[in-house]
Amino acid sequence: MRSMGSCFFWEEYGYYCFPRFKEVNKLLRDRRFGRQINHLVDVDNAEKEERCPALVRFDQNSLLEMEPPTHTRLRRLVSRAFVSRQVETQREEITTLANTLIDKIDTNQPFDLLSSYAEVIPVIVICKLLGVPTEMADQLLDWSHKMVAIYEHGNNKEVERIANEATLSFEAFIESEIENKKRKPSNDLLSALIKVEEEGERLNIEELIATSILLLNAGHEATVHGIGNGVKAILENSIDVTSTEEGARALTEECLRFDPPLHMFTRFVLEDLEYQGQAFKQGDVIGLLLGSANRDEEKFSDAHLFNPTRGGIGHTSFGAGIHFCVGAPLARLEIEIALSVLFERLPKVRIGSEPVYADRYHFHGLEALVLHSR
Ligand code: HEM
């Protein structure tokens, strides 16, 4: 696809896709393209609003689905609350959690790393960071899986109905947590989001609820597969995992470049324009192939090889521009620690059975990762 030119028409999607690093990186930052179009043109949402009001409400108040100036205001407030939580202070707690999970694994038997480790770390970490009870983790995972199911290819009205119900329950839960925090604030992200203020601006209740749900969902879904895909790549390429922090950081970046958990995002064309000889109309959709950009030979030499010593950041796995992943420092820290603890505790770990990617479209990750360590 990359050798065919800067973009090509993907018939099944019905829009142009950009597979090369150069364009993906540029287009993510180009303000003539946006995640939303309904701030510029009238989009008739009445039918969807009637069918799944909670989902529509969530989208309307979600950072990820906004464009400036609304996005600028909310992003500033969220970043401020997020930065003040100082992600690096989580290092010790995440390390303890990872070790506790390894303690629980019966290493005399083959075990599934996803269900016993990779799926548990991110949800517990984001619950603790936000300050919601970790006993709710399974319930949150269930709501979250039901909500993100609408991003799947070929979703239908039943999937939307279930997602809407999950959003309603999620909203009710978060609203009661917000009430608790208002009465008894503590040193967590939810309390910080409630009180964060800049130039007289604050998050209103709908924004608070949507942001909390977004952080809980985004905070674990991708990180799970960041860990799973990373461990698979390391084992398949017989990589010696070093114990230095620098080595772990470079390894994390290479895992994210080589097999990113989110491989594609779309943008609306916000005005009629021509891009590299191709005409686009306002409202057209374009696809930005993050996974492909990360394998672009023009940017990464021997891009198809997994090479943790190539060092440095520069992949597109966290996006770029105004929607660049808010949680990137946290995700990086979680993956770095998850990999370090796993290989330190179980140095003989090997792949037990051929890993199979799940038949899913939005999140690119494994069904299971069966390992053994004897
Ligand atoms: C390996 C793990 C992760 C990956 C690969 C990832 C990837 C991404 C990408 C590509 C975007 C931009 C989407 C776009 O431009 O359309 C994004 C946005 C976002 N991510 Fe992540 N993410 C990860 C983990 C996290 C975590 C741990 C959190 C929260 C704690 C988080 C919160 C967010 C939020 C709130 C946004 C929206 C930002 C905005 O629209 O301004 N993500 N993420």
Side-chain angles (χ1 to χ4, degrees):
M1 293 187 294
R2 286 187 298 270
S3 68
M4 281 161 58
S6 62
C7 66
F8 65 96
F9 192 76
W10 193 317
E11 286 190 2
E12 287 87 347
Y13 290 143
Y15 48 73
Y16 280 89
C17 287
F18 291 80
R20 293 177 181 172
F21 180 89
K22 197 166 129 207
E23 284 85 20
V24 169
N25 191 38
K26 265 199 189 142
L27 285 164
L28 283 166
R29 299 164 201 268
D30 191 327
R31 299 283 292 279
R32 295 171 302 161
F33 300 84
R35 284 211 47 121
Q36 227 10 292
I37 186 81
N38 51 15
H39 58 303
L40 297 177
V41 295
D42 274 340
V43 178
D44 184 9
N45 225 5
E47 199 254 331
K48 187 169 179 198
E49 221 168 322
E50 196 166 316
R51 215 173 56 241
C52 27
L55 272 181
V56 172
R57 188 165 51 239
F58 171 69
D59 276 353
Q60 280 167 349
N61 291 288
S62 163
L63 192 59
L64 193 54
E65 303 303 335
M66 285 174 180
E67 282 298 298
T70 335
H71 177 268
T72 319
R73 175 188 148 267
L74 194 61
R75 169 95 188 197
R76 206 180 292 137
L77 289 166
V78 173
S79 303
R80 205 186 162 104
F82 215 88
V83 168
S84 73
R85 306 322 315 141
Q86 288 166 352
V87 164
E88 190 59 29
T89 61
Q90 310 281 312
R91 182 176 285 278
E92 218 179 288
E93 224 174 302
I94 302 173
T95 308
T96 309
L97 170 63
N99 274 297
T100 313
L101 294 172
I102 298 280
D103 289 341
K104 286 190 192 155
I105 296 174
D106 176 3
T107 50
N108 291 315
Q109 312 280 341
F111 60 92
D112 173 23
L113 189 80
L114 284 200
S115 54
S116 56
Y117 193 70
E119 275 171 8
V120 191
I121 295 174
V123 69
I124 299 289
V125 169
I126 194 68
C127 281
K128 286 197 169 161
L129 191 73
L130 263 173
V132 305
T134 52
E135 299 77 59
M136 284 296 289
D138 285 344
Q139 179 61 77
L140 299 177
L141 283 181
D142 180 55
W143 288 333
S144 171
H145 291 331
K146 286 176 176 159
M147 284 181 74
V148 298
I150 56 163
Y151 301 122
E152 283 305 310
H153 187 64
N155 87 59
N156 55 35
K157 289 192 175 162
E158 181 57 9
V159 174
E160 275 188 354
R161 189 192 61 75
I162 295 171
N164 191 66
E165 267 179 23
T167 313
L168 271 175
S169 311
F170 215 147
E171 282 180 334
F173 164 71
I174 292 290
E175 205 168 350
S176 78
E177 285 300 304
I178 290 170
E179 284 312 312
N180 292 341
K181 299 288 173 196
K182 279 186 178 164
R183 272 196 303 275
K184 217 172 145 215
S186 66
N187 185 30
D188 53 46
L189 182 56
L190 193 48
S191 304
L193 285 168
I194 291 167
K195 72 166 192 267
V196 72
E197 193 181 329
E198 201 177 90
E199 292 168 13
E201 292 280 3
R202 306 187 74 141
L203 279 97
N204 64 36
I205 183 70
E206 281 89 16
E207 290 166 346
L208 255 178
I209 294 172
T211 303
S212 308
I213 295 179
L214 176 66
L215 289 173
L216 278 162
N217 287 0
H220 74 267
E221 295 278 358
T223 316
V224 170
H225 300 298
I227 299 171
N229 297 358
V231 172
K232 170 180 175 285
I234 291 167
L235 292 174
E236 285 181 345
N237 290 281
S238 311
I239 301 297
D240 230 352
V241 177
T242 59
S243 55
T244 64
E245 247 179 56
E246 204 184 312
R249 231 170 266 149
L251 182 64
T252 301
E253 292 312 315
E254 182 63 350
C255 290
L256 285 164
R257 179 196 73 86
F258 188 73
D259 200 2
L262 290 159
H263 56 103
M264 173 179 184
F265 277 94
T266 55
R267 289 292 186 265
F268 286 106
V269 180
L270 301 183
E271 59 190 49
D272 293 355
L273 54 85
E274 203 178 293
Y275 194 86
Q276 306 216 331
Q278 184 60 53
F280 292 98
K281 288 233 161 301
Q282 185 185 55
D284 282 353
V285 171
I286 56 165
L288 305 175
L289 307 183
L290 311 185
S292 168
N294 284 355
R295 298 283 187 106
D296 189 339
E297 287 285 342
E298 271 194 27
K299 167 76 180 167
F300 305 99
S301 54
D302 291 328
H304 62 295
L305 298 181
F306 183 76
N307 174 12
T309 63
R310 71 173 74 240
I313 307 171
H315 53 73
T316 62
S317 304
F318 289 117
I322 63 166
H323 290 285
F324 180 81
C325 179
V326 169
L330 179 64
R332 288 186 157 121
L333 186 69
E334 288 181 65
I335 298 172
E336 185 192 316
I337 296 173
L339 298 179
S340 301
V341 172
L342 174 73
F343 289 101
E344 196 180 296
R345 292 286 310 276
L346 305 176
K348 290 188 193 153
V349 78
R350 292 185 311 283
I351 289 184
S353 52
E354 185 66 23
V356 177
Y357 284 100
D359 185 14
R360 257 191 321 254
Y361 158 73
H362 189 63
F363 290 100
H364 174 66
L366 302 168
E367 197 69 70
L369 182 56
V370 178
L371 305 179
H372 54 85
S373 82
R374 280 197 309 160

